[in-house]
Amino acid sequence: MTRKILAFLLLSLSLSAAADQHIQEFRLPNGLKVVVQEDHRSPVVVSQVWYRVGSIDEFNGTTGVAHVLEHMMFKGTKAVPAGRFSRIVAAAGGKENAFTSHDYTVYFQQLEKSRLGLAMKLEADRMENLRLTTDEFSKEIQVVMEERRWRTEDKPQAQVGEQFMAVAHQVHPYGRPVIGWMNDLEHMTAEDARAWYRTWYAPNNATLVVVGDVDPRQVFKLAQQYFGSLKAHKLPQRKPQTEPEQKGERRVAVKAQAKLPYLAMGYPAPALRSAEEWEPYALEILAGVLDGNAASRLNRDLVRRDRIAVDIGAGYDMLNRGPSMFEFDGTPSEGATVQDLELAIRGEIDNLKENGVTEDELQRVKAQVIASDVYKRDSMFYQAMQIGQLESVGLSWRLLDEYPKRLQAVTAEQVQAVARKYLDDDKLTVATLDPQPLDENAPKHKEMPHVH
Amino acid sequence: MYINKVFLAVLLGLISVTARAGLPIQHWQSASGAQVYFVENHDLPILDVSVNFSAGSSFDTRDKAGTAAMTQGMLALGAGGLSDDRIAGKFAELGAQLGGDFDPDRAGLKLRTLSSERERSQAVGLFATVLQQPDFPAAVLEREKARTIAGLREAATQPESISAKAFSAALYGSHPYGNDEAVEPETVEKISRDDLAVFYRAHYTRHGAIVAVIGDLTRSQAEQLAEQLTAKLADGPAAAAIPPLPLPLQPVEKRIPHPAAQSHILLGYPGIKRIDPDYFPLYVGNYILGGGGFVSRLTEEVREKRGLAYSVYSYFMPMREAGPFQIGLQTKREQTGQALALVRDTLKKFVKDGPAAQELKAAKDNLTGGFALRLDSNAKVLDYLEVIGFYSLPLTWLDDYVGSVNKVTVAQIKDAFARRIKPDNMVTVVVGSDAK
């Protein structure tokens, strides 16, 4: 008892807070980081546990195991048997779920504020005490395969997206889908999931993010109470698996039953590694100029003016543990081909490199940045997401203050410079959907028989 | 890219209109005739406002199905002499966001803007123009028709949309609630600029306007805002009533072959109205059957015990007249028969026996205990104001919610399901394979 109180007092000295975000952080001796943002608009709280492990940490043969383990985390501990977790949260009036990405695995609850301790108690329990039975695994792996069928196998554009990533990343694990290849799922065992859990689920590989109508000191006390006794693990060394420089364009086509073709294009681009870099911010502004609002270039030129596309998009995400990409995707109008659309997009890119962006375009994107920074405060969940994401990719929530300012500082010249540097023809990957007529009689997938 | 543990039907949100006790809703009729619902909240320097009308797909005619949606979609694509590019550019300069609502009953637009004077006045001014002076430019209409038709042709190849269309046709037949899924390339092709103008004048009327407002402005500013957004609308008669939906007297089953890896299965029956004496027994009962995510009976039987599907759900979508009661799931084609039989069995048992007392307690604990979560953002409050306004629910409806849920008994749920849902006369749609 005494020891606990002492530890708490000592650690509270290291609290630090951002000026206007009302965020504080704290680290338990076992390595668990706790970040709390006060938001007193409603008597509710969101609690998210972010594990710094995702499909980026997987190996061939067991792709999808990070996501499978996420499913298994609901399948029981000694104290909370299978099926109980969700019922306990529901009985407390809560909402809960989990998600897995390339970079992290996240578990969350949204509750009336007095129930925060319950969420922590449950999360602390399954951080260390998961009982991963072969019986539960054999049912849940079927659910995950259904999820893959629903999410990817039967969605032509999702198949294109999967192939696009696979071709763009020949070495880096981002080339493998988060949900895993079907064949790997078919051969996955309960032991694969157990090994994953033993290796990665530890307080020193996690961040607890709490946003809501809470007192940070109370949150830290609860975190200490519930997570304090968990043991840190030694984590495996993570190797960079850096993608070798691409030396020439890459192309892939996917045939699937559909009516309209579809095009995905992308170029390797840097992710944000430290707050001081300017290129990622310039790339984000570039994405905004191309596709940040209804007035952006691609929609204006290719959908509204030239009518060559039914839909068009561009995107860039600077927050990744691995490499980022600058991406385009779109559906050609009837009468146009994917080649026409690709040429049109490359025309827009050439124009950008040659002539840059206008001051009006820049100002529009920056107006969106300012407004979004205010609008986001209407969602506690989204604010928690931002904190967790920054922490999990190896940056800090302290960047939240910086982020809009850095975007504001980007100049038209910098936007043009990153367009010239990164939208390089020799580093392009193109994936296309070649639509096939519907043939009702031929099943699309021949599946391996399952042994259960 | 995220992969969620479960896919929660978006529609679930529509059925759970609830609020913290004491949400101070101010309501008045504007000089224009519009009904206004306002919550003053200065926590954030933002303003959310929407204007809705009885202008959803149920007001279409079948031969030109798609007119209502096109009218709503075209409002911001040319207004007051400003082009679509100009309108989009102006909203973007102000950091304002334009959105909308569209369903069989209603259509409307919503605006989110900063509440600072310059941004607010300019964004609201432009919003007023878009709502009250749409131009429906003929050239833009041709472009949007082509985009809609391309989308319809694509949808016609995808199992999810094929099943939704077949389900609607089987459940609604020629009833106006079937219009939404009766939009075809041929019906869109026929829509003219005049059709949009006529539809707009008839349905986007001053007396039919429901204005919902939440955010950083005073009552007098809100009064002025509502007037500014609706005073120039046409005057017109109230929307025609939607005819009641006839109940199916025998089961309908449609099997549509498709080569997909999964079969898409939908079951349904006419459900409830927004104002309906059985609303709470059916709503709470459905939470237990298939609305409560991981803890519902359908999820327990289909997913947790047998691993037959990633997502299985049921919902009631309450509308002016009876919206659908729907159960849905997707499963590997080889196990279609097994999954369908299990779902039918689970439904039948629930309708016959009702829930256990313990299940009802768990449902009430969730629905009442999580009450505060339902209104923890301005965006959510706006949605609820729209529903309260559009369906003329009592202003105390939210305050009464917890009490209404707590009053529901096992006997009421059993009785309501027995009277309202007939497991032997359901509509069933299977797209995929019927292999057992």
Side-chain angles (χ1 to χ4, degrees), chain B residues 85 89 107-108 115 127-128 138 148 162 214 222 226 245 259 293 309 315 324 329 340 363 382 399 417 419 422:
Chain B
D85 279 344
S115 58
F127 190 49
T148 302
I162 296 170
I214 176 166
L245 184 63
Y315 67 79
L329 69 153
L340 180 56
L382 186 77
D399 303 341
F417 268 83
R419 279 186 292 103
K422 304 291 178 191

Side-chain angles (χ1 to χ4, degrees), chain A residues 75 146-147 260 304 378, chain B residues 3 85 112 262 304 335:
Chain A
K75 295 302 175 182
E146 292 292 354
E147 183 178 352
L260 301 179
R304 294 206 287 270
D378 196 36
Chain B
I3 298 198
D85 279 344
R112 167 167 276 193
Q262 285 183 322
E304 302 296 306
Q335 59 203 19

